[in-house]
């Protein structure tokens, strides 16, 4: 069982759709992360929210938009995605940056 | 930014033997080094980690060593079992690294032969 919950588990969407991925943790962690993982590749960091401050990997395209409504929730808004965006999207949390990160089960995203 | 190299990409060992996976990092400011195990179709699971003020850490059959001078760290698994088969990722983290967060190595596919 994981203490980081991600929904949905699977998502299929067209390139013109708008959808959101959700992540929730109730461990009181103050840092939350979004990673993208392609098949047979390591996770790649997309965004970090640490103490309500957002840090962005500058290589992430603007069609991905994170939102942190509160310290236990992290959303990833998707708009006008491309087929190459198909991947496993992992959320993680930690007490603070530089502390152990715990991953959710991920959302497997397919872009048609 | 940080760059982490991991070797080998695939490692096959006989059940009961030991396995060693090695990683090097580029940024001397990195101070936190976790190891994750990822089974097919599942999330990465933290199995052990080490900080730069420690040279070695052990947890049952798993140990990690860190050489700060050479900027490399290694995962050691003894008495390997079939359930150890998975992809293992090393990672490095720079304190207050902003968007750097964790930088992962490319992974090692560990195969335990019965």
């Amino acid at each position: 069982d994981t203490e980081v919950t991600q929904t949905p588990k699977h998502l299929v969407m067209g390139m013109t759709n708008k959808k959101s991925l959700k992540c929730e943790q109730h461990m009181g962690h103050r840092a939350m992360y979004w990673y993208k993982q392609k098949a047979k590749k390591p996770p790649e960091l997309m965004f970090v929210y640490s103490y309500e401050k957002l840090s962005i990997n500058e290589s992430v395209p603007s069609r991905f938009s994170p939102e942190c409504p509160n310290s236990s929730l992290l959303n990833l808004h998707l708009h006008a995605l491309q087929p190459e965006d198909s991947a496993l999207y992992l959320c993680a949390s930690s007490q603070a940056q530089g502390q152990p990160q715990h991953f959710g089960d991920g959302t497997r995203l397919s872009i048609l | 930014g940080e760059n982490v190299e991991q070797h080998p990409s695939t490692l096959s060992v006989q059940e009961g033997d030991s396995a060693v996976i090695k990683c090097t990092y580029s940024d001397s400011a990195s101070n936190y080094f976790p190891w994750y195990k990822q089974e097919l179709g599942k999330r990465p699971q933290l199995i052990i980690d080490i900080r730069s003020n420690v040279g070695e850490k052990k947890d049952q059959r798993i140990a990690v060593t860190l050489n700060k001078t050479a900027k490399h760290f290694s995962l050691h698994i003894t008495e390997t079992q079939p359930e150890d088969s998975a992809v293992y990722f090393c990672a490095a983290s720079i304190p207050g690294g902003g968007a750097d967060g964790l930088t992962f190595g490319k992974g090692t596919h560990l195969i335990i032969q019965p």
Side-chain angles (χ1 to χ4, degrees):
Chain A
D1 288 342
T2 175
E3 297 171 336
V4 178
T5 303
Q6 289 188 243
T7 55
K9 294 190 185 301
H10 302 276
L11 179 62
V12 180
M13 58 186 287
M15 289 189 284
T16 58
N17 292 155
K18 287 184 180 181
K19 296 286 185 183
S20 297
L21 309 184
K22 297 185 183 300
C23 176
E24 186 171 11
Q25 57 87 13
H26 292 291
M27 296 178 281
H29 289 175
R30 298 306 301 271
M32 296 184 74
Y33 313 79
W34 280 114
Y35 289 86
K36 174 183 177 181
Q37 186 177 27
K38 301 282 278 185
K40 299 185 179 181
K41 298 288 186 182
E44 293 181 17
L45 183 67
M46 301 175 72
F47 304 102
V48 181
Y49 264 100
S50 181
Y51 290 89
E52 288 84 51
K53 180 183 175 184
L54 171 65
S55 297
I56 301 171
N57 182 335
E58 293 180 352
S59 68
V60 175
S62 59
R63 55 186 182 266
F64 294 92
S65 174
E67 178 199 13
C68 192
N70 59 58
S71 60
S72 63
L73 287 172
L74 185 65
N75 299 323
L76 185 63
H77 301 300
L78 317 172
H79 174 55
L81 295 194
Q82 302 298 308
E84 62 265 28
D85 297 322
S86 297
L88 179 67
Y89 288 83
L90 291 160
C91 174
S93 72
S94 63
Q95 286 188 334
Q97 280 190 270
Q99 297 295 317
Q101 292 186 24
H102 300 275
F103 285 84
D105 288 332
T107 293
R108 192 160 298 280
L109 177 65
S110 298
I111 306 301
L112 300 179
Chain B
E2 176 62 279
N3 182 50
V4 178
E5 299 284 340
Q6 182 172 348
H7 299 280
S9 57
T10 303
L11 177 60
S12 181
V13 301
Q14 290 294 123
E15 182 179 352
D17 288 350
S18 296
V20 180
I21 302 170
K22 298 182 179 182
C23 289
T24 60
Y25 59 99
S26 62
D27 196 324
S28 57
S30 290
N31 69 348
Y32 174 63
F33 307 93
W35 285 87
Y36 286 86
K37 173 184 180 182
Q38 188 173 28
E39 297 176 73
L40 189 63
K42 297 195 174 181
R43 63 187 171 94
Q45 286 190 293
L46 179 68
I47 57 171
I48 196 166
D49 56 9
I50 193 167
R51 297 196 178 276
S52 57
N53 59 345
V54 176
E56 184 174 357
K57 184 177 178 181
K58 190 174 181 181
D59 182 4
Q60 298 182 20
R61 297 186 296 110
I62 295 172
V64 57
T65 58
L66 171 65
N67 183 326
K68 283 175 55 180
T69 303
K71 289 190 283 189
H72 67 69
F73 56 114
S74 300
L75 178 71
H76 304 253
I77 305 175
T78 59
E79 301 172 16
T80 53
Q81 301 169 3
E83 54 264 36
D84 294 330
S85 294
V87 178
Y88 291 79
F89 293 102
C90 63
S93 175
I94 300 173
D100 288 329
L102 281 178
T103 300
F104 285 84
K106 291 188 175 180
T108 296
H109 185 192
L110 177 62
I111 301 166
I112 307 301
Q113 303 281 4

